[in-house]
Amino acid sequence: MSTLHIINTSPNMRSALQSCLRIIHENDGIIFIEDAVIAAKKNTPAVELIKEKILAKKCFFLKPDLEARGIKEESITQGIKLVDYNGFVKLTTEFDRTQTWN
Amino acid sequence: MEQKTCLFINRRSPYGSTHASEALEMAFALSAFEHKVSLVFMDDGVLQLMRDQQTAGIGMKNFSPSFKAWEDYEIQHVYVEQASLETRGMQASELLMDVEIIDAQQLAKVIESHQFIFND
């Protein structure tokens, strides 16, 4: 069984990401939305935490939320996959279930 | 009404909640009532000052242009905490306007020198 974890809070202000990573399975994916998208920026502590999931191509970020915060593609960690809202919906069908962390 | 010195400490990212835009409105309102108001951006609050915010995709109003009018609203100072920029991989060049970048020690003095402290 595979789960898409949805994280919507900043990794700097809430421990949602850290807690999610403690229990996450190999088949699971993570999508960052709303304030959580700031984890995409290069040279931040959050990047170290999600390195493996980025390499496994199971790390997704909602592009409209990045654009709203002025975070440009050039300043985003390499290997991260950006999706739009349609892509987000599609992702939820590619995993068996979703689990939200806020 | 006796004039007060007020400091707004902004620590949240914009758009995930309405705290940021509402705090700004309150700061401008207090300034309009002749109080001496300054703004501080620290922790995730520094993100509120990122340039080129394109918010149409999330259906929210981009309120960041209002920051540039800080002098027109008679805001006294706009401070950004340096360490907050660094831990978020942000450069001063990514901010939408010139600000006073200060360290934690300087920020402590700024906070001490204001009568009322608000946060977002």
Side-chain angles (χ1 to χ4, degrees):
Chain A
M1 152 133 82
S2 64
T3 304
L4 176 68
H5 296 272
I6 303 171
I7 303 183
N8 75 339
T9 55
S10 162
N12 305 309
M13 308 299 273
R14 303 271 301 175
S15 61
L17 174 59
Q18 287 88 327
S19 293
C20 169
L21 290 173
R22 287 212 294 277
I23 58 82
I24 199 166
H25 288 281
E26 216 185 304
N27 293 340
D28 295 353
I30 313 177
I31 181 166
F32 294 76
I33 69 170
E34 294 170 21
D35 285 344
V37 299
I38 66 186
K41 246 185 162 298
K42 282 184 206 172
N43 305 321
T44 60
V47 168
E48 277 306 299
L49 297 176
I50 56 176
K51 221 168 29 175
E52 277 169 40
K53 281 300 179 188
I54 294 176
L55 283 172
K57 304 203 199 301
K58 291 192 190 307
C59 212
F60 308 92
F61 282 72
L62 192 56
K63 193 161 185 230
D65 277 319
L66 283 162
E67 288 170 345
R69 290 160 182 75
I71 298 174
K72 309 232 171 296
E73 292 212 38
E74 313 87 77
S75 68
I76 290 173
T77 303
Q78 272 206 318
I80 275 172
K81 300 179 106 185
L82 303 185
V83 297
D84 57 15
Y85 282 101
N86 287 334
F88 184 6
V89 172
K90 188 157 171 292
L91 268 180
T92 63
T93 67
E94 289 169 11
F95 291 81
D96 295 315
R97 63 182 192 182
T98 62
Q99 184 175 344
T100 301
W101 301 79
N102 49 30
Chain B
M1 192 177 14
E2 196 188 311
Q3 189 186 65
K4 302 288 183 194
T5 54
C6 306
L7 188 68
F8 278 76
I9 302 183
N10 297 285
R11 296 179 53 241
R12 294 183 200 237
S13 166
Y15 307 119
S17 66
T18 55
H19 288 258
S21 59
E22 290 178 12
L24 185 61
E25 288 186 19
M26 192 174 161
F28 285 163
L30 274 174
S31 192
F33 277 93
E34 316 273 311
H35 296 291
K36 295 281 182 214
V37 178
S38 287
L39 310 178
V40 170
F41 295 88
M42 71 183 294
D43 296 334
D44 280 356
V46 299
L47 288 153
Q48 294 179 34
L49 296 175
M50 284 286 277
R51 58 167 76 237
D52 293 335
Q53 294 175 22
Q54 307 289 330
T55 62
I58 60 169
M60 296 186 76
K61 181 168 183 250
N62 175 11
F63 66 93
S64 64
S66 307
F67 288 121
K68 293 193 224 182
W70 62 279
E71 280 171 309
D72 296 332
Y73 282 96
E74 297 187 30
I75 299 291
Q76 305 296 300
H77 296 274
V78 179
Y79 300 108
V80 168
E81 197 231 356
Q82 180 157 24
S84 300
L85 287 174
E86 286 166 7
T87 60
R88 284 156 186 78
M90 283 169 63
Q91 314 285 331
S93 56
E94 292 177 88
L95 302 181
L96 52 83
M97 63 189 197
D98 288 333
V99 294
E100 295 175 59
I101 299 183
I102 58 177
D103 62 26
Q105 237 183 347
Q106 291 167 312
L107 176 55
K109 292 204 176 82
V110 164
I111 290 172
E112 198 184 26
S113 70
H114 285 77
Q115 291 167 298
F116 288 101
I117 313 295
F118 296 88
N119 39 27
D120 61 355

